[in-house]
């Protein structure tokens, strides 16, 4: 049941990420929105690095805490959904931050009642530089998510009715959003930078598995020639990119990346 006094449910998933979790929670606490109309739900998969102790220190600032084994990130996210009471749900993985202290306040001010998924832009940190990822329109011809999941707000009731499919270990969020698109739910891109995330997430580290899962999702939901052609081209580009990375020295790769992201690198 949705609590009318709670507008946002912020679900934080963690596993052995002590310092990163601390930063994520501080990012939430610093949100300048009054009255406080959000809840914090933390799902920890039985961390053994001191994360549990860190969570317990902040227990009085956490509205719902689950510490138990799970089968992966989407299983943990589904557990969080079960306890969400707000109108909108946003997921911040441990280590992710709100872009600034006014994200929730600005999101609250948007006239978005007619929308089902609202999403904005993302700042990505890698070991060499920071850059902005501008979210793009999401439609039935998308072959992957055109925005960062941590920069999206989803209506609570849609998540409760459509839990993440645990058969997909990396791209279940793409499957979720694709299903909503097919059901003609309304997606809205807003002019707001929502989150700051680190590169090297699950999909970054497992690009071939992500490709296979995306292919299965498209085959199941929208098996058009256009989509097949696009995803095959994407796979070929992935192979070429990985081959080049294998051959070239790291400093040259860095130069290429700086040129690629030159327009969006943050000073």
């Amino acid at each position: 049941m949705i609590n009318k006094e709670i507008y946002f449910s912020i679900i934080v998933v963690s596993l052995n990420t002590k310092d990163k979790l601390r930063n994520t929670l501080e990012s939430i606490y610093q949100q300048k929105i009054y009255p406080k109309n959000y809840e914090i739900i933390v799902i920890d998969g039985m961390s053994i690095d001191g994360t549990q102790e860190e969570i317990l220190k902040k227990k009085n600032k956490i509205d719902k805490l689950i510490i138990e084994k799970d089968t992966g990130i989407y299983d943990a996210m589904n557990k969080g959904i079960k306890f969400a009471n707000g109108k909108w749900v946003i997921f911040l993985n441990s280590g992710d931050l709100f872009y600034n202290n006014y994200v929730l306040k600005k999101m609250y001010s948007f006239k978005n009642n007619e929308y089902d998924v609202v999403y904005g832009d993302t700042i990505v940190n890698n070991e060499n530089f920071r850059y902005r990822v501008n979210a793009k329109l999401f439609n039935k011809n998308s072959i992957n998510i055109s925005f960062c999941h941590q920069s999206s707000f989803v209506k609570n009731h849609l998540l409760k009715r459509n839990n993440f499919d645990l058969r997909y270990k990396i791209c279940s969020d793409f499957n979720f959003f694709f299903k909503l698109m097919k059901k003609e739910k309304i997606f809205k891109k807003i002019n707001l930078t929502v989150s700051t995330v680190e590169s090297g997430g699950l999909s970054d580290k497992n690009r071939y598995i992500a490709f296979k899962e995306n292919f299965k999702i498209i085959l199941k939901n929208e098996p058009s020639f256009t989509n097949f052609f696009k995803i095959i081209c994407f796979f070929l580009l992935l192979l070429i990119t990985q081959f080049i990375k294998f051959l070239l020295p790291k400093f040259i790769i860095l130069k290429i990346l700086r040129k690629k992201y030159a327009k969006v690198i943050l000073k």
Side-chain angles (χ1 to χ4, degrees):
M1 183 179 294
I2 296 175
N3 186 330
K4 292 182 179 179
E5 296 180 359
I6 300 175
Y7 199 73
F8 302 105
S9 293
I10 306 167
I11 300 177
V12 181
V13 174
S14 72
L15 179 64
N16 296 325
T17 53
K18 178 182 175 181
D19 295 331
K20 292 182 178 181
L21 176 64
R22 184 189 302 118
N23 294 336
T24 298
L25 292 176
E26 287 299 326
S27 170
I28 299 171
Y29 301 152
Q30 291 169 11
Q31 288 299 295
K32 306 293 186 184
I33 185 166
Y34 304 101
K36 175 180 171 291
N37 62 355
Y38 63 84
E39 63 178 357
I40 302 173
I41 301 169
V42 175
I43 313 295
D44 182 77
M46 292 292 288
S47 296
I48 57 173
D49 69 335
T51 301
Q52 288 192 51
E53 289 75 10
E54 187 66 31
I55 292 172
L56 294 175
K57 289 179 187 176
K58 302 180 184 300
K59 190 175 180 180
N60 63 323
K61 291 185 177 182
I62 297 172
D63 298 281
K64 185 64 180 180
L65 172 61
I66 305 295
I67 300 177
E68 62 184 29
K69 288 285 187 181
D70 55 59
T71 61
I73 188 170
Y74 294 113
D75 184 27
M77 290 163 71
N78 283 342
K79 291 178 182 181
I81 293 167
K82 186 186 302 183
F83 295 101
N85 295 303
K87 178 179 180 179
W88 294 94
V89 175
I90 182 171
F91 294 92
L92 290 180
N93 295 330
S94 186
D96 299 331
L97 312 172
F98 280 121
Y99 173 63
N100 60 31
N101 297 342
Y102 299 94
V103 171
L104 294 185
K105 184 177 181 179
K106 289 179 179 178
M107 172 62 184
Y108 185 72
S109 69
F110 281 110
K111 304 299 182 184
N112 48 41
N113 287 332
E114 67 268 38
Y115 306 120
D116 299 299
V117 179
V118 176
Y119 60 92
D121 299 329
T122 307
I123 303 300
V124 177
N125 289 330
N126 69 22
E127 59 182 340
N128 299 298
F129 52 84
R130 301 171 71 233
Y131 60 96
R132 180 182 301 277
V133 175
N134 296 315
K136 297 179 178 61
L137 294 179
F138 186 73
N139 57 47
K140 65 179 182 179
N141 290 321
S142 297
I143 60 171
N144 48 35
I145 299 179
S146 58
F147 52 89
C148 180
H149 194 174
Q150 296 95 313
S151 291
S152 66
F153 297 84
V154 183
K155 286 279 182 66
N156 188 346
H157 68 90
L158 293 175
L159 284 161
K160 290 189 184 298
R161 295 174 188 169
N162 303 275
N163 272 194
F164 294 106
D165 190 332
L166 301 186
R167 290 175 296 178
Y168 303 110
K169 302 300 181 184
I170 296 174
C171 300
S172 190
D173 47 357
F174 176 54
N175 180 64
F176 168 78
F177 288 122
F178 213 116
K179 287 196 300 182
L180 292 188
M181 178 64 66
K182 286 205 67 178
K183 293 177 181 178
E184 299 185 341
K185 301 303 178 183
I186 304 174
F187 288 66
K188 176 63 176 178
K189 161 72 168 70
I190 58 175
N191 185 26
L192 177 67
T193 302
V194 178
S195 67
T196 298
V197 305
E198 295 179 348
S199 62
L202 269 179
S203 57
D204 285 339
K205 293 177 179 177
N206 301 276
R207 290 186 179 273
Y208 293 108
I209 298 175
F211 165 79
K212 289 172 62 177
E213 290 191 357
N214 279 356
F215 190 85
K216 288 179 181 179
I217 291 164
I218 291 170
L219 182 64
K220 179 180 178 182
N221 291 283
E222 197 67 31
S224 67
F225 173 80
T226 299
N227 282 346
F228 280 134
F229 179 75
K230 287 168 66 176
I231 200 166
I232 292 301
C233 289
F234 176 82
F235 180 66
L236 292 175
L237 180 61
L238 175 62
L239 286 176
I240 293 168
T241 302
Q242 294 301 312
F243 182 68
I244 291 173
K245 284 183 177 181
F246 176 76
L247 291 179
L248 296 180
K250 187 174 181 179
F251 77 93
I252 294 181
I253 294 173
L254 180 57
K255 284 186 177 182
I256 294 172
L257 289 174
R258 285 191 175 278
K259 187 170 183 178
K260 176 182 177 181
Y261 295 110
K263 294 182 179 180
V264 292
I265 287 179
L266 303 178
K267 304 300 182 182

